[in-house]
């Protein structure tokens, strides 16, 4: 057993008693502690967990000006026996480091990431909401820390992990507007990276969609506005007849970990999933023929979100059918988190304190 490299200082005044677990809007309440590390002189150092604090940041910070900012979203839950559990934590450090490479940022050490999430979740386990569907959301974030106005990669970075008790991201089925003016990502761009700018770019079209009466944008490809990409807050699946189809990941969409979880669960249950280009025309045709049975989104925050309606060129495709496939995946994921479903994949792992990590 090796000694933890994480320096821990605990709060003397927990805010936990102020939290109403029955009323948890997504992203509003932060737990008591956060993990931090700094990158200087070519290495990550000063690994620490301390009370959540504001940062003092110079106005010339490169992340603010040129967007070197990447993040992850992952969840911890409590098993039916009260054990804090992490879900596929290693997938999140692989993806964070893929985002880091694309954004010319330093990779974060995998082992330290795993130790940090275990230690933090073990410390903050009282913040894990008990209700099915709610969870402790972990937000790892890496930002540039140099203060300079030249367009170049920063030499200094900060890595943090915050945790937040959250309810479902979408409490109701979601209506989508297929977007034909704005784009999320083009081939060769940063669409696959979980970087701040991808979300910033979605805000204005999402506002227009909201004003038109829809919850979110459904992105089409940047070249022809023909092939469906993702929703921006989640990946998307279509059930057409007896086929389950999801856009393939070829660089313009996020490689969703819940997307992959859903595909694995479907395969395990005997369903084939077609990962391929799917055009909006194919969806419209399926709807007109009565074959569009289900549409759902997948994401860490959203888990599985049923789509109620998709608008394209002024026409609403209303999905009044069931959600058999989406519900089965959601039930399996929730059951895995609660420990009531057999974990055939070894995705769930009990959070260990830093002292038991070897
Ligand atoms: C997540 O699903 O964890 C995300 O980062 C998406 C964000 C819209 C909350």
């Amino acid at each position: 057993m090796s000694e933890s490299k994480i320096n821990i200082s605990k709060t003397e005044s927990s805010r936990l008693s102020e939290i109403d677990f029955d009323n948890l809007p997504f992203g509003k309440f932060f737990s008591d502690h956060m993990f931090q590390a700094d990158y200087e002189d070519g290495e990550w150092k000063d690994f620490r967990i301390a009370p959540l604090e504001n940062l003092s940041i110079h106005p010339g910070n490169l992340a603010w000006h040129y967007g070197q900012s990447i993040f992850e979203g992952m969840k911890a839950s409590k098993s039916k026996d009260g054990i804090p559990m992490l879900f596929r934590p290693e997938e999140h450090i692989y993806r964070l480091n893929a985002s880091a490479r694309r954004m010319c940022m330093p990779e974060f050490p995998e082992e330290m990431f795993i130790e940090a999430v275990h230690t933090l979740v073990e410390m903050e386990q009282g913040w894990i909401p008990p209700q099915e569907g709610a969870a402790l959301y972990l937000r790892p974030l890496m930002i540039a820390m140099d203060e300079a106005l030249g367009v170049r990669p920063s030499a200094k970075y900060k890595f943090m992990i915050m945790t937040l008790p959250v309810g479902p991201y979408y409490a109701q089925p979601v209506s989508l507007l297929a977007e034909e003016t704005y784009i999320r990502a083009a081939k060769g761009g940063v669409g696959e990276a979980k970087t701040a700018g991808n979300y910033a770019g979605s805000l204005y079209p999402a506002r227009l969609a909201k004003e038109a009466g829809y919850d979110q944008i459904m992105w089409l490809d940047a070249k022809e506005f023909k092939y469906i990409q993702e929703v921006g807050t989640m990946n998307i699946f279509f059930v057409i007849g007896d086929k389950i189809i999801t856009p393939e990941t070829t660089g313009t969409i996020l490689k969703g970990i819940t997307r992959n979880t859903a595909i694995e669960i479907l395969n395990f249950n005997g369903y084939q999933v077609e990962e391929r280009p799917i055009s909006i025309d194919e969806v419209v045709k399926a709807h007109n023929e009565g074959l569009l049975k289900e549409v759902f989104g997948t994401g860490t925050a959203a888990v599985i979100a049923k789509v109620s309606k998709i608008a394209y060129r002024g026409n609403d495709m209303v999905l009044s059918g069931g959600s058999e496939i989406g519900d089965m995946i959601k039930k399996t994921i929730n059951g895995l988190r609660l420990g009531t479903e057999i974990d055939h994949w070894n995705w769930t792992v009990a959070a260990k304190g830093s002292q038991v990590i070897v």
Side-chain angles (χ1 to χ4, degrees), residues 36 41 52 56-58 74 102 128 134 136 142 163 168 182 187 216 259 294 314 319 339-340 350 352:
Q36 287 194 58
D41 305 322
L52 183 85
S56 169
I57 294 188
H58 191 278
M74 53 192 287
R102 179 63 185 88
I128 302 175
L136 187 69
M142 189 195 297
T163 82
Y182 300 98
K187 279 228 155 97
Q216 263 297 345
R259 172 187 180 279
E294 250 181 85
L319 287 135
T340 53
K352 293 171 278 195

Side-chain angles (χ1 to χ4, degrees), residues 34-39 44-48 55 70-72 74 92-93 96-97 105-109 112-114 116-117 139-145 156-162:
M34 69 189 285
F35 173 85
Q36 287 194 58
D38 297 304
Y39 184 87
W44 285 104
K45 51 178 102 160
D46 204 5
F47 307 109
R48 58 205 186 272
L55 306 179
I70 58 172
F71 67 95
E72 273 299 311
M74 53 192 287
H92 291 276
I93 183 60
L96 182 93
N97 282 339
M105 297 166 84
E107 293 184 30
F108 192 79
M112 177 47 67
F113 178 90
I114 297 295
V117 292
R139 172 51 63 87
L141 170 73
M142 189 195 297
I143 55 169
M145 284 302 280
K156 287 186 280 164
Y157 295 86
K158 187 177 275 295
F159 178 74
M160 293 159 271
I161 308 175
M162 297 150 258

